[in-house]
Amino acid sequence: MLQRYLALPLLVRKTVQTDVIRSIIEGPIVAGSQSLALLILLKGSLQSRAEGMHADMLQAVLFGGSFLGMMLSLAVLQGAARFRISKRWMMAGPSFASSASIFLAIIFYMRPIAFSVCLGLGFLFLALRLPVLTSIYHEIYPIDKRGRLTSISFMAYQLSTVIFYYFAGELLDRGMEYAPWLMGLWGLAAFLSGLVSLQLPTSERLETTFKAGKAFLLPFIDKWFGYVLLVWFVFGFANLWIYPLRVKYAVAELDLKPSTISLVLGVIPEMTRLMFLPFWAYLFDRINFILLRMILNFFLALGIGVLFFSSTATGVGVGAFIHAVGFSGGKLAWSLWITKTVSKTRSAEYMAVHVFFTGARGAFGPMLGALVLGFLGSYGHAYRNISMLSIFMILLSILMMIPILKDVSKEP
């Protein structure tokens, strides 16, 4: 395996090495954006205020920050191309801005609304980089090795995330006054990530001729692309509107302590993704990615059902494990499926549209999920009912993929 890696071109190896370092540094931020930030909000910042707060909406603002960034990435990508900003700075600039926002959130820790907005902005800035990162992978990594080479970086940040989750859970068990220190590590990590991104050996300028206003016509011009986006929206919405509710379920319904929540919703899922990622990367390089997506969605639906129908930490952990099996390959497929359908010069353009719609469902999905959860509460078993709605939507998406279950070009 080492010999095969050393046989790769120097440009590819340098990209892998730099991206792995960046991924390791960003592990703590990944942990924060997924569960720890919500936990700190619920048990820390919100507890500092005596009056009632709209906790569900603040969770949605915090969780939706990165997805709002995905929506804005479409316009940012056009601006970057117009002003000839290098790909390196398209990666580094948002990282520096994220660092500043996170440190500002620490200052407003005792003010839940300002805290949620500032920290949400920190996650927003990092999400602006996603189309550019996919473009870098498409530009440098060969088609038959793209999934496995990308998975090396994913595994690196997964391992870093696991370690930070465990450390953070143990620290928060001692007291929520340690939360600002953990956030300080997120801010430092974002800054260092920006410095490392400047070392990426990518082409100097972002090459794309698209305009943000016209980009929305792509799903109608390329009808196959549009249909895939529709399918992705159905199961993506079902997954994202319920994702932040896992933390609230563990806190409000099961009353689990921070270290337990960090274990079952952090360490276990991240370790699972780490273990299964090489397997999914291997399949991504070899089989029809629509078939792969159908298999992954089955695990997502099953995991959601087990998690929200469980009343113990063990059951939640099992559900999180099953969900993470599908999510481990899902992130890879989400990041790279564009590279199997369009040319290198248009991958950033298509990816920006894909990222925009992901951002739309991620930004507004949690808010709608909070409203639906409140509505279902009057009927009892609110969490189980909303999980059943999610499962139905994911299974529907699997059926919707059957008509497009055919070979996809390996390289346009």
Side-chain angles (χ1 to χ4, degrees):
M1 184 174 180
L2 180 60
Q3 289 180 335
R4 289 199 299 268
Y5 175 75
L6 293 175
L8 293 170
L10 178 62
L11 178 65
V12 174
R13 283 186 280 127
K14 186 176 180 181
T15 302
V16 171
Q17 293 163 11
T18 306
D19 201 45
V20 164
I21 295 172
R22 180 193 63 82
S23 298
I24 292 173
I25 291 172
E26 290 187 11
I29 311 177
V30 174
S33 64
Q34 291 181 354
S35 297
L36 287 178
L38 298 175
L39 178 60
I40 290 172
L41 174 68
L42 290 172
K43 283 188 169 289
S45 183
L46 278 172
Q47 296 301 317
S48 68
R49 300 294 297 272
E51 65 267 25
M53 300 292 297
H54 297 292
D56 290 336
M57 287 297 113
L58 290 182
Q59 284 184 87
V61 169
L62 190 54
F63 182 77
S66 59
F67 296 98
L68 183 58
M70 292 180 182
M71 295 178 66
L72 294 176
S73 67
L74 191 63
V76 171
L77 190 68
Q78 178 185 337
R82 180 178 179 181
F83 292 103
R84 306 292 289 167
I85 300 175
S86 71
K87 291 183 181 180
R88 293 189 187 95
W89 273 105
M90 277 299 296
M91 291 290 295
S95 299
F96 295 141
S98 173
S99 177
S101 296
I102 293 172
F103 281 117
L104 193 60
I106 297 174
I107 297 175
F108 292 113
Y109 179 63
M110 303 298 285
R111 300 179 180 179
I113 296 178
F115 169 80
S116 300
V117 171
C118 290
L119 193 53
L121 280 173
F123 300 144
L124 180 154
F125 286 122
L126 291 178
L128 295 176
R129 310 170 306 168
L130 289 172
V132 179
L133 187 58
T134 297
S135 176
I136 292 172
Y137 292 150
H138 199 173
E139 171 196 344
I140 298 176
Y141 293 165
I143 179 63
D144 60 334
K145 298 180 178 64
R146 193 172 294 147
R148 281 166 289 175
L149 291 174
T150 304
S151 72
I152 295 174
S153 297
F154 285 6
M155 291 173 68
Y157 89 68
Q158 220 93 63
L159 182 60
S160 175
T161 301
V162 167
I163 295 172
F164 187 81
Y165 259 126
Y166 179 79
F167 167 73
E170 292 297 319
L171 195 62
L172 291 178
D173 258 2
R174 300 181 182 181
M176 295 306 297
E177 63 269 16
Y178 290 102
W181 292 98
L182 293 177
M183 294 171 58
L185 290 178
W186 299 346
L188 177 61
F191 180 79
L192 293 177
S193 173
L195 293 180
V196 172
S197 296
L198 290 174
Q199 307 305 313
L200 285 167
T202 178
S203 61
E204 285 299 314
R205 298 288 182 259
L206 187 65
E207 297 180 6
T208 182
T209 58
F210 89 111
K211 294 184 178 180
K214 295 182 179 179
F216 292 105
L217 297 177
L218 278 177
F220 301 97
I221 297 172
D222 187 339
K223 290 184 170 41
W224 189 90
F225 174 64
Y227 187 78
V228 174
L229 284 183
L230 174 63
V231 175
W232 218 290
F233 198 92
V234 171
F235 73 79
F237 190 89
N239 192 45
L240 291 173
W241 80 335
I242 206 169
Y243 199 83
L245 296 181
R246 305 174 314 147
V247 179
K248 187 179 179 183
Y249 181 67
V251 172
E253 296 293 311
L254 305 184
D255 195 27
L256 302 180
K257 61 182 183 179
S259 60
T260 303
I261 294 174
S262 181
L263 175 64
V264 298
L265 296 181
V267 175
I268 289 177
E270 296 300 333
M271 281 297 295
T272 304
R273 295 171 194 174
L274 182 63
M275 289 187 298
F276 281 88
L277 188 55
F279 171 70
W280 295 123
Y282 176 85
L283 288 183
F284 180 84
D285 287 335
R286 283 167 171 75
I287 72 171
N288 184 320
F289 80 83
I290 295 295
L291 175 60
L292 178 65
R293 186 68 260 183
M294 293 171 72
I295 297 171
L296 294 171
N297 282 11
F298 171 78
F299 283 102
L300 294 180
L302 181 60
I304 289 173
V306 173
L307 194 156
F308 284 97
F309 276 80
S310 299
S311 56
T312 65
T314 300
V316 171
V318 172
F321 167 81
I322 297 171
H323 186 272
V325 171
F327 198 87
S328 63
K331 182 173 177 59
L332 186 72
W334 182 90
S335 301
L336 295 179
W337 74 273
I338 290 294
T339 69
K340 284 194 171 186
T341 62
V342 301
S343 64
K344 292 181 180 180
T345 56
R346 303 199 70 186
S347 62
E349 176 181 350
Y350 270 71
M351 187 64 183
V353 177
H354 171 45
V355 167
F356 175 87
F357 285 106
T358 301
R361 57 182 176 263
F364 300 108
M367 296 182 185
L368 182 58
L371 293 174
V372 172
L373 183 70
F375 173 77
L376 294 175
S378 59
Y379 296 93
H381 302 295
Y383 288 96
R384 293 183 180 181
N385 290 337
I386 197 171
S387 70
M388 290 175 66
L389 282 176
S390 294
I391 292 169
F392 170 78
M393 293 170 68
I394 294 174
L395 294 179
L396 174 63
S397 74
I398 294 176
L399 295 177
M400 291 175 68
M401 280 186 264
I402 294 177
I404 56 173
L405 186 58
K406 58 184 179 181
D407 280 338
V408 178
S409 173
K410 282 291 184 182
E411 183 74 18

